[in-house]
Amino acid sequence: MPTPPDAPTRPRLLVLRALGLGDLLAGVPALRALRRAFPRHEILLALPPALEEAASAIGAVDGVLPAEAPNREVPSLTHWPYPPPDVAVDLHGNGPASRDALALLGPRRLIAYAGSHPLPELPPKWHPEEHERARWCRLLGAHGIPADPGDVRLRPPARPSPAPGAVVVHPGAEAAARRWPAERYAAVARDLRSAGHRVVVTGGPREDALVKEVATRAGVPAHDVLAGGLPFADLSALVAEAALVVSGDTGLAHLAVAHGSPSVTLFGPVSPLLWGPPKSPRHTVLWKPGPPGDPHATVPDPLLLAITTDDVLTAALTHLDAPEEEAEPCAR
């Protein structure tokens, strides 16, 4: 927890990344670089309060400033209860809105890509085709802070998995554009069960209907239907001990990367070159190249729909039928 406002404290560093779980995990390399560069600072992360437990698992921040806004917009930070931060870092976006939200707090040093508020240092240019992990590491590197885009691993959770060794099928996503049809997820889950694999179906707190539809179509028993949105510690343990994670381009795919768990991730409308896992035999990406679509659209993207159930089932069985893959090193 952060230091109370009236207590003597170390200098403070505030990071803005008030987005989703996948965004948080893609920001792990940058957050860890800040922790190494500012070991004496109290590092606070502005993000939605629902992600506080996930943020603490990274091992790079001392506390959170609750901050969120609808539709991935920039939240207000005017409830900041402390004196101006010593350092403020914008890992939220590339425009004036996010940078100026931090600038309003009067930090001594501001690290950001762009904006209308004057900076003492010339910011680097934003590259729209850059991978999300590399983008923030490059920003920090331009300010003399070395960062490794491959530093993504989390330590294994202390608690046991609710379904050790299961295949985790996660049909949900924040936007419909990234949701592969429920009947296709169900077909894959049904075939994996027929091949002798235990399958559990998960979803977020607002995805119960989707989870139950997939589970019912696939014949998944009630005790393997993990609806309602698992607490992060349970979700993390589930993924860490999964035989395989099958999902779209969403937070659970990033969590599989964070634990080195085998995964099959379905991409569309956004290319895996921007949000995909590091190259590894443990992670398979399915992507039908084509013109990028709207990641916030209200219907599944055509590139996502081009991925067939046979594509997913073949990729899944390739992982499950292969010799046990060598474990990757966990977080340092």
Side-chain angles (χ1 to χ4, degrees):
M1 294 297 293
T3 307
D6 56 350
T9 136
R10 300 172 284 165
R12 291 191 177 91
L13 186 155
L14 176 63
V15 184
L16 173 60
R17 193 161 178 80
L19 298 164
L21 176 61
D23 305 278
L24 171 63
L25 295 174
V28 164
L31 291 168
R32 291 207 174 123
L34 290 169
R35 176 77 284 167
R36 291 190 296 269
F38 298 94
R40 295 182 177 85
H41 282 62
E42 182 180 21
I43 298 181
L44 302 179
L45 178 59
L47 85 172
L51 293 178
E52 181 172 0
E53 190 176 7
S56 67
I58 293 170
V61 302
D62 299 300
V64 304
L65 177 72
E68 59 184 329
N71 302 318
R72 302 175 68 86
E73 295 175 0
V74 178
S76 169
L77 302 177
T78 56
H79 56 297
W80 172 256
Y82 309 109
D86 184 60
V87 182
V89 182
D90 180 9
L91 300 183
H92 190 95
N94 70 324
S98 54
R99 201 185 87 169
D100 289 353
L102 289 166
L104 283 173
L105 304 181
R108 181 187 63 82
R109 182 183 183 190
L110 178 57
I111 296 174
Y113 266 111
S116 59
H117 187 81
L119 278 177
E121 302 161 278
L122 183 66
K125 290 184 179 180
W126 174 277
H127 300 324
E129 300 305 315
E130 188 170 25
H131 193 285
E132 185 72 4
R133 290 187 299 273
R135 150 176 303 128
W136 303 112
C137 290
R138 183 171 62 86
L139 170 67
L140 297 184
H143 290 268
I145 303 169
D148 175 10
D151 185 10
V152 297
R153 293 296 304 276
L154 298 183
R155 294 187 181 278
R159 69 182 59 195
S161 167
V167 176
V168 178
V169 172
H170 184 85
E174 181 181 6
R178 292 183 282 116
R179 281 186 223 125
W180 202 49
E183 62 270 19
R184 298 194 197 180
Y185 273 114
V188 170
R190 185 173 57 249
D191 287 349
L192 290 176
R193 282 174 43 77
S194 296
H197 300 285
R198 181 183 181 185
V199 174
V200 299
V201 185
T202 68
R206 295 180 296 277
E207 295 175 338
D208 285 4
L210 175 62
V211 169
K212 291 175 182 176
E213 179 185 356
V214 171
T216 299
R217 286 175 177 265
V220 174
H223 61 267
D224 284 336
V225 180
L226 306 179
L230 290 176
F232 177 78
D234 292 331
L235 184 66
S236 186
L238 175 71
V239 169
E241 297 187 40
L244 180 70
V245 175
V246 180
S247 75
D249 172 22
T250 188
L252 210 71
H254 291 273
L255 193 56
V257 169
H259 287 307
S261 300
S263 66
V264 174
T265 307
L266 289 64
F267 279 85
V270 178
S271 166
L273 294 176
L274 304 181
W275 282 92
K279 288 185 179 179
S280 166
R282 300 180 72 80
H283 306 300
T284 298
V285 297
L286 298 177
W287 160 249
K288 304 294 186 180
D294 177 4
H296 308 297
T298 57
V299 295
D301 186 81
L303 298 183
L304 182 64
L305 293 177
I307 299 171
T308 68
T309 54
D310 283 346
D311 292 333
V312 178
L313 186 62
T314 298
L317 290 174
T318 298
H319 281 286
L320 293 167
D321 295 342
E324 187 173 348
E325 293 164 303
E326 183 179 351
E328 296 174 339
C330 68
R332 294 192 289 271

